[in-house]
């Protein structure tokens, strides 16, 4: 995965959990500046400024730049299912991100390090995802989110909550 952040750094995640940060200096191209190691294949990155949010097929990690510590976080409060296959991270506002996983879609506050809500598949209902395996996310507007799952495209309208599984 690749991320070009607002600080002008290029981040690259690899198949063995390696994460590299390339910083553009003096117009001489990108220079390798930092390396972070996590478990699994890196599939999603988001830089909050103070932290790097990392998704891999092993789980969800937060790297604290100041402390230089990387922590694996469990998004499931029940502990029954372990968070796996974090494939996309999409900012919602200045404190929260959407996290696409194999267990559904989470709204996560990175400052408080807690899940605010979870959207998942609900059998015999049109009020949930068509499948818990979320593959990709796209913000269409402030109130409309496209969620690609393993079997359908889901449109979520937050102005009048409904799901439209295409």
């Amino acid at each position: 995965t690749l991320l070009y952040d607002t600080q002008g750094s290029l981040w690259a995640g690899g198949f063995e959990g390696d994460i590299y940060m390339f910083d553009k200096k003096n117009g001489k191209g990108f220079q390798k500046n930092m390396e972070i190691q996590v478990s699994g294949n890196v599939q999603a990155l988001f830089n909050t400024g103070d932290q790097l949010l990392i998704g891999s097929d092993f789980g969800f990690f937060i790297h604290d730049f100041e402390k230089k510590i990387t922590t694996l976080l469990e998004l499931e409060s029940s502990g029954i299912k372990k968070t796996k296959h974090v494939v996309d991270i999409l900012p919602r506002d200045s404190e929260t991100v959407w996290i696409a996983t194999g267990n559904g879609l989470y709204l996560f506050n990175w400052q408080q390090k807690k899940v605010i809500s979870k959207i998942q598949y609900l059998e015999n209902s049109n009020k949930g995802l068509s499948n818990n395996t979320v593959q990709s996310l796209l913000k269409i507007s402030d109130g409309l989110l496209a969620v690609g799952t393993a079997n359908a495209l889901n449109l979520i309208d937050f102005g009048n909550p409904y799901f439209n599984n295409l």
Side-chain angles (χ1 to χ4, degrees):
T1 189
L2 295 171
L3 168 69
Y4 188 69
D5 67 21
T6 57
Q7 287 82 25
S9 298
L10 175 66
W11 294 87
F15 290 112
E16 301 293 324
D18 299 326
I19 301 170
Y20 302 93
M21 192 264 293
F22 299 87
D23 194 15
K24 193 169 188 176
K25 296 189 179 191
N26 302 327
K28 295 181 181 178
F30 286 97
Q31 304 296 315
K32 181 177 165 186
N33 215 19
M34 174 187 229
E35 184 175 339
I36 302 168
Q37 181 74 40
V38 298
S39 299
N41 299 331
V42 179
Q43 299 181 14
L45 298 168
F46 178 70
N47 187 346
T48 70
D50 297 327
Q51 304 166 39
L52 184 66
L53 308 183
I54 305 161
S56 83
D57 59 356
F58 190 80
F60 177 65
F61 299 84
I62 295 183
H63 177 79
D64 185 302
F65 291 121
E66 185 178 319
K67 296 177 184 174
K68 297 185 179 172
I69 296 173
T70 304
T71 307
L72 174 64
L73 289 179
E74 182 54 56
L75 298 174
E76 284 289 328
S77 59
S78 67
I80 296 169
K81 291 183 179 178
K82 296 289 183 196
T83 304
K84 299 284 186 193
H85 306 290
V86 177
V87 298
D88 204 355
I89 301 171
L90 178 71
R92 187 188 93 166
D93 56 34
S94 64
E95 295 181 0
T96 60
V97 291
W98 290 105
I99 301 175
T101 77
N103 298 337
L105 179 63
Y106 295 84
L107 181 59
F108 181 78
N109 184 309
W110 73 74
Q111 292 180 341
Q112 298 175 2
K113 293 186 175 52
K114 73 175 195 173
V115 172
I116 296 170
S117 64
K118 178 181 180 185
I119 301 172
Q120 62 186 0
Y121 169 72
L122 301 171
E123 193 170 344
N124 299 321
S125 173
N126 63 352
K127 304 234 185 261
L129 297 173
S130 61
N131 188 297
N132 277 336
T133 304
V134 180
Q135 304 282 351
S136 62
L137 302 171
L138 176 66
K139 179 180 177 180
I140 295 172
S141 66
D142 283 341
L144 190 61
L145 182 66
V147 180
T149 68
N151 68 349
L153 174 62
N154 300 249
L155 296 177
I156 305 172
D157 183 345
F158 293 103
N160 180 16
Y162 77 96
F163 289 80
N164 187 7
N165 301 327
L166 303 174

